[in-house]
Amino acid sequence: MVSFGLIGDWKPEPGLVTTWKPSADTIARVHAAPPHPVPASHIQEEYLKSAYRNRDSGFRFSRLCLVTFDIFEPLDSEAMTQAVNAFVRRHDTFASWFDVDDDGVERHVTDVETIELVPTEHGRFDDQESLREHVQNTTPGPTSWDCFSFGVVDRGSEFTVYAAVDHLDTDGISQALTVFELRWLYLDAAKGALDAGPCLGSYLEYCRREREASSVLTLESPEIRQWIDLVRSNGGDLPSFALPLGAGTEKYTRSEVTMLPLFDHDEAQKFDEACERIGAKFTGGIFAAAAIAEYELTGQESYLGLTPKSTRSTPGEFGAIGWFSSLVPVHFAVGGALAFSHLAGSAQRAFETGKLLADVSYHRVLELITPESGITTQPGWSAPMISYVDVRKLPGADVVSSINGGLFGNQGSSDEVYMWINRFEEQTGITFMYPGTDTARESIRRYYDKISEIFLSVARTGEYSFAESVAGRTA
């Protein structure tokens, strides 16, 4: 089982801590790197602008992604030095840094082969909170080049490896790849057999391709029109969570995370089979359940949701570290349906249609719109998101579980609700990240009670009927 949650949920065993960070000479060389013509990706640029606007928040506003795993043998410190250097040099996202100011974002690129990470011993940490703070305090934010760090917690006969990388340089797939690749590089280095060439996928080339494709889009492009029509049909803005969150009283509301169960193994299988019988997949079933929950809680007759989609497309990119991701829309009507079985097929088709917009960033849409477009989305926008991952299908998922793999994020600020549904072999769970207010906690409880009722009804009976609810609202 892989552990998920906030960094505060990471509970490392005590041990001697060593951290690998760029040398002073490396940092000087990197900062001397000239400007580069390839812009940041759309999602990176908006993320950097948001971090810059909120630089005086008093806490780490950007997202720090922490991956951890154990190696059950004594630490070879020299082999780990070789491994972390090979890892960083293999992936060109670590060669870029960005000037960010009121005028915008400018990329600089250094020679990745000149990057050198060196170890620093920090002594023994017996207190988990102190160790968690150490990891976060030694990893700068995205407006610094070295917004990544690596370390070990050595206990003599075994040790924990961690990689802390700002979201600027990583995504969900990258985090899983980091576990596999760091482990592989270390084990090869410890055997004296390290032979690591550059990754075949380039994040810099991906950014070039994305920007070249988006530069030819206009307001008349079909993909841009589709985005605009979807958002206009939602009142001119992206959706918000179905229930109140109480996050508007303060400038920042710190995030909270709650993890709850959905299915055991048999229930997940039966839910899957129920979806298949009506021409949908597990994903379509999830969005149908979300739409029904929203309808029953609020009466919303048209559903618009967002889900992350990997934008990796070349064989090499599937092994590359970087932020290869965008949000795609899932839009379909709910009013007029009587049951889950009437809706799941529409939800599945909406999901498949939405995926066609994966390479058209909503950020690009906002660059093109005019006041006449009817779009009111503001810079720094946030919107609820539902992500589904069938962890069983990920290569090496059984290995990650056996080495105590963990994926954690820092406690930033949230204005919206983000949901991750992860299907493991023995159980499927849902993780909510939301503003840490009493109002939001109550809303998450109400939402979870409703959506889990729908999920379990479909798993146990093959159906969930909301005909009475429809009749009551339309009478």
Side-chain angles (χ1 to χ4, degrees):
M1 183 69 179
V2 179
S3 298
F4 293 93
L6 294 176
I7 291 177
D9 299 311
W10 178 42
K11 303 188 185 306
E13 294 295 325
L16 296 171
V17 173
T18 301
T19 297
W20 280 260
K21 291 284 295 175
S23 67
D25 286 346
T26 295
I27 292 175
R29 285 194 298 270
V30 168
H31 287 165
H36 194 278
V38 175
S41 69
H42 280 294
I43 198 168
Q44 279 186 316
E45 180 174 335
E46 293 307 316
Y47 178 79
L48 285 162
K49 289 179 178 178
S50 180
Y52 179 76
R53 283 194 303 269
N54 293 281
R55 61 192 181 279
D56 296 325
S57 63
F59 61 94
R60 188 191 185 105
F61 185 83
S62 63
R63 299 294 182 185
L64 181 63
C65 304
L66 175 69
V67 301
T68 67
F69 61 95
D70 291 342
I71 292 181
F72 302 104
E73 59 184 46
L75 171 66
D76 182 333
S77 185
E78 176 56 32
M80 185 57 68
T81 298
Q82 294 177 40
V84 296
N85 277 285
F87 177 78
V88 169
R89 292 169 187 165
R90 276 175 50 79
H91 300 286
D92 65 3
T93 190
F94 296 114
S96 289
W97 62 276
F98 300 92
D99 266 332
V100 188
D101 56 27
D102 293 333
D103 296 323
V105 175
E106 182 179 54
R107 182 195 295 271
H108 296 249
V109 176
T110 192
D111 179 0
V112 72
E113 290 301 319
T114 67
I115 296 174
E116 181 186 18
L117 275 63
V118 295
T120 300
E121 296 180 0
H122 297 276
R124 182 177 178 86
F125 281 72
D126 291 312
D127 177 64
Q128 292 176 338
E129 180 59 28
S130 296
L131 178 52
R132 291 189 290 258
E133 290 179 0
H134 167 79
V135 172
Q136 296 178 83
N137 292 339
T138 55
T139 313
T143 55
S144 297
W145 163 66
D146 55 334
C147 56
F148 51 87
S149 68
F150 304 86
V152 299
V153 186
D154 183 15
R155 294 179 289 275
S157 61
E158 63 180 34
F159 59 98
T160 296
V161 180
Y162 73 79
V165 181
D166 192 275
H167 206 339
L168 181 76
D169 290 318
T170 191
D171 59 12
I173 292 176
S174 296
Q175 291 160 46
L177 289 170
T178 298
V179 173
F180 299 130
E181 190 169 309
L182 265 182
R183 182 172 181 269
W184 149 57
L185 290 169
Y186 171 79
L187 294 176
D188 278 2
K191 293 184 293 187
L194 181 61
D195 183 17
C199 176
L200 297 179
S202 164
Y203 190 68
L204 186 65
E205 286 304 310
Y206 164 78
C207 293
R208 186 196 310 276
R209 187 177 74 239
E210 181 204 50
R211 288 296 191 149
E212 288 177 350
S214 70
S215 68
V216 301
L217 296 172
T218 70
L219 277 174
E220 303 309 315
S221 300
E223 305 95 323
I224 299 296
R225 295 307 316 170
Q226 187 174 349
W227 262 117
I228 290 174
D229 290 345
L230 284 173
V231 177
R232 286 180 64 183
S233 71
N234 196 60
D237 202 355
L238 294 173
S240 56
F241 188 62
L243 297 173
L245 299 173
T249 57
E250 302 289 341
K251 185 175 181 181
Y252 300 108
T253 307
R254 302 301 297 275
S255 305
E256 286 189 11
V257 168
T258 297
M259 292 168 281
L260 297 162
L262 282 181
F263 300 126
D264 61 23
H265 174 275
D266 291 343
E267 289 165 341
Q269 185 63 34
K270 290 175 181 176
F271 181 84
D272 210 348
E273 292 167 356
C275 293
E276 186 175 355
R277 286 194 298 270
I278 52 180
K281 298 180 181 178
F282 207 99
T283 305
I286 287 172
F287 283 103
I292 295 169
E294 187 170 306
Y295 177 79
E296 293 201 307
L297 290 168
T298 69
Q300 182 70 30
E301 295 194 349
S302 180
Y303 178 79
L304 176 60
L306 296 171
T307 189
K309 172 71 173 61
S310 172
T311 52
R312 290 170 165 83
S313 61
T314 70
E317 285 173 0
F318 284 92
I321 303 299
W323 197 351
F324 297 87
S325 184
S326 69
L327 288 174
V328 300
V330 182
H331 178 258
F332 55 95
V334 181
L338 302 176
F340 175 88
S341 60
H342 300 164
L343 208 56
S346 297
Q348 186 66 45
R349 290 188 293 274
F351 172 69
E352 300 297 338
T353 299
K355 288 195 298 183
L356 300 177
L357 294 177
D359 293 326
V360 183
S361 170
Y362 188 62
H363 297 298
R364 176 56 175 159
V365 177
L366 295 181
E367 291 177 352
L368 291 170
I369 59 170
T370 63
E372 294 75 27
S373 300
I375 304 299
T376 60
T377 307
Q378 297 299 306
W381 56 267
S382 59
M385 175 207 77
I386 299 179
S387 171
Y388 168 63
V389 176
D390 189 342
V391 181
R392 305 169 309 159
K393 295 182 179 180
L394 297 179
D398 54 336
V399 174
V400 176
S401 180
S402 69
I403 58 177
N404 300 324
L407 304 175
F408 306 95
N410 65 306
Q411 186 186 21
S413 176
S414 293
D415 295 318
E416 268 297 347
V417 176
Y418 308 101
M419 289 176 274
W420 293 269
I421 296 176
N422 295 303
R423 185 178 180 184
F424 295 92
E425 188 63 43
E426 296 304 321
Q427 67 178 32
T428 299
I430 184 168
T431 299
F432 294 93
M433 179 181 286
Y434 54 92
T437 68
D438 290 339
T439 301
R441 294 182 195 104
E442 174 61 18
S443 291
I444 293 298
R445 184 197 64 77
R446 288 181 59 203
Y447 183 89
Y448 170 74
D449 287 347
K450 175 53 64 178
I451 201 169
S452 61
E453 175 190 356
I454 299 166
F455 280 131
L456 290 175
S457 176
V458 174
R460 293 167 181 172
T461 71
E463 186 61 286
Y464 180 86
S465 174
F466 54 107
E468 292 182 4
S469 177
V470 172
R473 294 188 188 278
T474 58

